[in-house]
Amino acid sequence: MTAELVRGQNHTLPQTRLEIRVSAGSPVVAGATLGDEQGTVHGIEWIAHPGSPRLPGLEVSQQAAAGHRLAVDLDALPDAVHRVTVLLALPVGAGGPVRFGAVAAPFVAVTGLDGTEIATFTLTGLDSETAVSALELYRRQGAWKVRAVGQGYAAGLAEMLADQGVAGAAELAGSIQDAVARGMARSVAPPPPRTPDGDRARHGAGPSASPAAQPVVAPSPADPQPAAPSPAAPQPSPAVRPAAEPPADPAAAGVTAPGPTPPAAAGGPISYAHPRRRTTAPPPPPAAPQAPPGQAAPPVAGDATGWSMDERLYNQIWGMFEDLARTTAAYRSAVDFADSRMEQELDRTLSDPRNRIGGAGDRAREAALAKRDELTGRAREALDRDLAQLVAEAAVVEPALPAPYAGWDNPVWHGYRVPMEIPMALRIGDLHLPERTDLRIPLLVRLPLERGIWVDSGRTSSGAAALTDTDSLRRLAMENAVGHAARMLAVYPAGEFSVHVIDPAGSASGALAPLVGAGVLAGPPAAGPGGVASVLAQLTRRVDLVQMAVRAGAADSLPPDLDTGEHLLIVNDFPHGFDDRAVTQLRYLADEGPAVGVHLLMVADREDAGAYGPVLDPLWRSLLRITPVADDHLADPWVGHAWTYEPLSLPPGSRVLEQVLAAVAAARRTGGR
């Protein structure tokens, strides 16, 4: 039976291998400290946090998230440890809530590895606090117990760590928040939760007359985002996602037939609700084909909830992404456990001097290795089974993808037609893990873009970058940016998306040839300091005017010559040609532009801008970093695996890019007809 704790209450723990699950209404930082009998933390090596997530017997998440799973093995803790304190803190500078009183009360559960809850605690009553000691596991007379704490700190992590006796608490708190910021910058953003009215979530509100002020469209499953498991804790295989059986009648599915609005009662308020407005959750996916007894159902495309096939495919891709992350985490956790168990068995055996002489030690070593191989073999069998199902699902989903979700080699691009409305997302590459490199998950970003994109033209640590010379990396980076710009032009309705280019030295003329030749740019690529200043001034003015109109609720007062469509600015060879004023304007566009329809696509080597030092750190972190060659720098939002990003590429000899741009140009000339 689960113990529901209140502040100060304790409960005996029946087992020593545990998970601590955290659910919050907003991304939080989760960590833990190890203390002695008095609760004193003897240095930073006794603290697990996103910048240093693993300690003996303890592992925490590597990034801020709305859900966490912390893995604890009390038997593996050092003998001097008598207390494990779980800490929560709000990330600094992430644009989210600045106090716990502004978010839903965090919920913490201590569970077994099978998910069975042992004790739970809801942290109510928080207000101005930005960090909190949630609960502690403590050892008393050889037995471990859990106590609900709920002690908040308005001064944040630094105050909380100092309260536990940590020397240099302020510096450590700053380094933890820096690690969190770096993790959030490299993490792929998950779909946001669905709004209560069942429509896709929209961030902000702008005037309907200004497409640029329209907020981001972001579909997601109706359920809250699941918590992220720690790689140290084995998880059940999640690769099988059975489709929900549709109810017999539409009302049971939450789908109401459109009809006239019921009349208001006499003397009552008038209802202005649109009679066809969707106010319920989306319907479940169609029933999957029935499989023979004892066999898994064959995968189908669109096996997810959603109002349209595109939304179902979008949610299905995210489901595959999460399944692959979690099943790989379960496998890696099982392997780590097997290795740890083997080492513990060998240590216990060899700690007896009598076993070091003769064949006893060799026999113990062979037995430990055999047990390790058995455990890892079973884990690999489970992984291979889940991977095989995901591969089969990918083989069905990939051919069914619409153009915005499809790679350039998909035949759907050969039947391309200019769309009448923007899609909910755009594919910008593929992701894979080393356990199965041929299983590629499409990397989808929501439209309109919530953050800019940075194509890193510098030399990274990946093997592909090591085999490519510097000039080739810069050329590939610009070609990659042109490909992304072409895809954005192709998925927006005619005339609703404009592309500007800053190429100070004119070094990207070859890569820009498809865009220039098709005549789809808003103007010639800007060169030299004068061209840089002119384009930045134009886009900065647009951001200022639209922001003022949004805040004043006066969209009709915008100048008639102002293009209210979405704008993309491609910047090549940054910071060449940029003075201090231009750098400031670029940072302003990166911060304020996405909310009003101005987006950045930077092609740059961070080392080239090294003279600016940390001044540009917020700029780099605000952009989604991708690479022109394969590189394992992106993280998923659930577990934090390092995923290898593969850029999209055109098939050799293909003319599909030119054909698509020609269709876009023709639609612009005819007004989309």
Side-chain angles (χ1 to χ4, degrees):
M1 182 175 178
T2 303
E4 298 180 359
L5 306 181
V6 297
R7 277 184 175 84
Q9 188 177 1
N10 60 40
H11 182 73
T12 301
L13 295 173
Q15 58 199 77
T16 57
R17 294 197 69 204
L18 307 164
E19 277 189 357
I20 299 174
R21 305 188 179 188
V22 179
S23 298
S26 178
V28 297
V29 182
T33 60
L34 306 180
D36 59 16
E37 288 184 277
Q38 287 72 42
T40 302
V41 180
H42 294 274
I44 60 174
E45 65 275 7
W46 282 37
I47 304 173
H49 56 82
S52 178
R54 293 187 179 186
L55 295 177
L58 177 64
E59 184 170 359
V60 304
S61 303
Q62 300 182 48
Q63 57 199 49
H68 295 271
R69 292 186 184 181
L70 284 63
V72 181
D73 185 351
L74 298 174
D75 289 337
L77 294 173
D79 293 338
V81 173
H82 289 258
R83 187 176 302 179
V84 179
T85 304
V86 177
L87 316 176
L88 303 178
L90 294 173
V92 175
V98 296
R99 59 187 183 91
F100 273 109
V103 301
F107 174 80
V108 184
V110 180
T111 76
L113 295 185
D114 59 356
T116 302
E117 290 185 346
I118 300 170
T120 63
F121 176 40
T122 302
L123 285 78
T124 57
L126 298 176
D127 186 12
S128 62
E129 295 87 348
T130 60
V132 60
S133 294
L135 54 77
E136 63 182 15
L137 314 179
Y138 64 98
R139 181 161 48 187
R140 183 69 52 84
Q141 297 178 348
W144 283 94
K145 297 182 178 182
V146 56
R147 177 187 292 121
V149 180
Q151 174 63 52
Y153 298 85
L157 267 176
E159 181 184 8
M160 181 167 55
L161 294 173
D163 191 43
Q164 298 189 33
V166 179
E171 293 78 6
L172 177 58
S175 67
I176 292 174
Q177 293 289 3
D178 285 344
V180 171
R182 291 193 298 271
M184 295 181 73
R186 64 189 287 267
S187 176
V188 178
R194 184 175 294 277
T195 56
D197 67 359
D199 204 359
R200 290 190 293 274
R202 295 182 179 270
H203 303 273
S208 59
S210 172
Q214 293 302 316
V216 176
V217 177
S220 73
D223 294 332
Q225 186 64 48
S230 167
Q235 301 297 319
S237 168
V240 181
R241 296 191 310 280
E245 289 293 335
D249 65 284
V255 181
T256 56
T261 305
I270 299 174
S271 172
Y272 292 97
H274 192 284
R276 297 183 64 87
R277 177 174 174 78
R278 292 166 175 160
T279 58
T280 58
Q290 295 297 318
Q295 298 183 20
V300 294
D303 185 15
T305 58
W307 290 109
S308 64
M309 187 61 173
D310 286 3
E311 186 173 358
R312 289 174 181 168
L313 288 169
Y314 175 89
N315 289 332
Q316 185 173 13
I317 289 171
W318 271 97
M320 295 168 61
F321 188 12
E322 182 178 357
D323 285 352
L324 182 53
R326 293 190 184 280
T327 196
T328 303
Y331 168 71
R332 293 179 180 179
S333 173
V335 171
D336 288 344
F337 171 72
D339 289 340
S340 174
R341 176 172 178 167
M342 180 188 69
E343 292 174 0
Q344 291 177 5
E345 291 179 352
L346 290 177
D347 288 343
R348 284 195 298 267
T349 300
L350 298 179
S351 63
D352 187 346
R354 292 171 297 180
N355 291 331
R356 302 175 191 171
I357 303 173
D362 293 338
R363 289 192 296 272
R365 186 176 293 104
E366 291 174 359
L369 287 171
K371 185 63 175 178
R372 192 274 309 268
D373 292 343
E374 178 188 356
L375 292 174
T376 56
R378 291 207 303 262
R380 186 72 210 192
E381 288 178 3
L383 175 68
D384 289 341
R385 181 176 62 251
D386 291 344
L387 291 181
Q389 185 160 349
L390 285 170
V391 168
E393 187 173 8
V396 173
V397 169
E398 188 71 39
L401 295 179
Y405 304 173
W408 286 118
D409 56 349
N410 193 308
V412 70
W413 282 106
H414 294 281
Y416 168 76
R417 295 292 184 272
V418 176
M420 300 300 293
E421 60 182 17
I422 69 170
M424 59 183 60
L426 179 71
R427 185 175 186 166
I428 63 170
D430 295 327
L431 299 172
H432 65 81
L433 291 172
E435 280 77 7
R436 187 69 186 261
T437 57
D438 62 330
L439 176 54
R440 306 296 176 90
I441 303 296
L443 175 56
L444 303 180
V445 294
R446 296 188 295 274
L447 294 179
L449 294 175
E450 288 183 303
R451 60 194 292 201
I453 297 175
W454 164 30
V455 185
D456 190 351
S457 60
R459 186 169 298 282
T460 64
S461 58
S462 71
L467 298 175
T468 309
D469 61 81
T470 301
D471 291 341
S472 296
L473 281 174
R474 293 179 184 272
R475 174 181 54 79
L476 290 172
M478 193 61 196
E479 290 176 354
N480 193 264
V482 168
H484 293 313
R487 293 174 69 87
M488 292 183 205
L489 284 165
V491 302
Y492 271 79
E496 293 190 13
F497 193 82
S498 301
V499 177
H500 310 258
V501 177
I502 289 179
D503 185 23
S507 59
S509 57
L512 291 169
L515 298 177
V516 175
V520 293
L521 294 179
V532 172
S534 175
V535 172
L536 291 177
Q538 174 188 348
L539 293 177
T540 300
R541 172 179 175 268
R542 185 199 177 283
V543 171
D544 289 339
L545 291 175
V546 175
Q547 277 189 337
M548 287 188 290
V550 169
R551 292 166 182 164
D556 294 340
S557 64
L558 287 170
D561 63 335
L562 188 74
D563 181 1
T564 57
E566 300 280 317
H567 292 255
L568 177 72
L569 173 60
I570 302 177
V571 179
N572 184 42
D573 269 352
F574 177 81
H576 182 77
F578 281 71
D579 55 20
D580 290 345
R581 175 180 173 80
V583 170
T584 300
Q585 289 177 315
L586 189 68
R587 287 187 55 186
Y588 175 73
L589 293 178
D591 292 339
E592 305 294 336
V596 290
V598 176
H599 314 283
L600 282 185
L601 179 51
M602 298 260 302
V603 180
D605 180 356
R606 188 168 182 171
E607 292 185 2
D608 292 344
Y612 288 93
V615 172
L616 289 181
D617 284 352
L619 172 64
W620 304 120
R621 291 177 183 173
S622 70
L623 305 173
L624 174 63
R625 175 177 171 259
I626 58 178
T627 51
V629 294
D631 188 81
D632 59 346
H633 66 282
L634 289 177
D636 64 80
W638 304 284
V639 183
H641 292 316
W643 292 73
T644 297
Y645 167 80
E646 292 274 359
L648 298 176
S649 59
L650 291 163
S654 173
R655 301 283 300 171
V656 65
L657 178 61
E658 289 77 7
Q659 295 169 5
V660 168
L661 291 177
V664 170
R668 288 187 170 194
R669 290 192 297 269
T670 60
R673 296 188 297 274

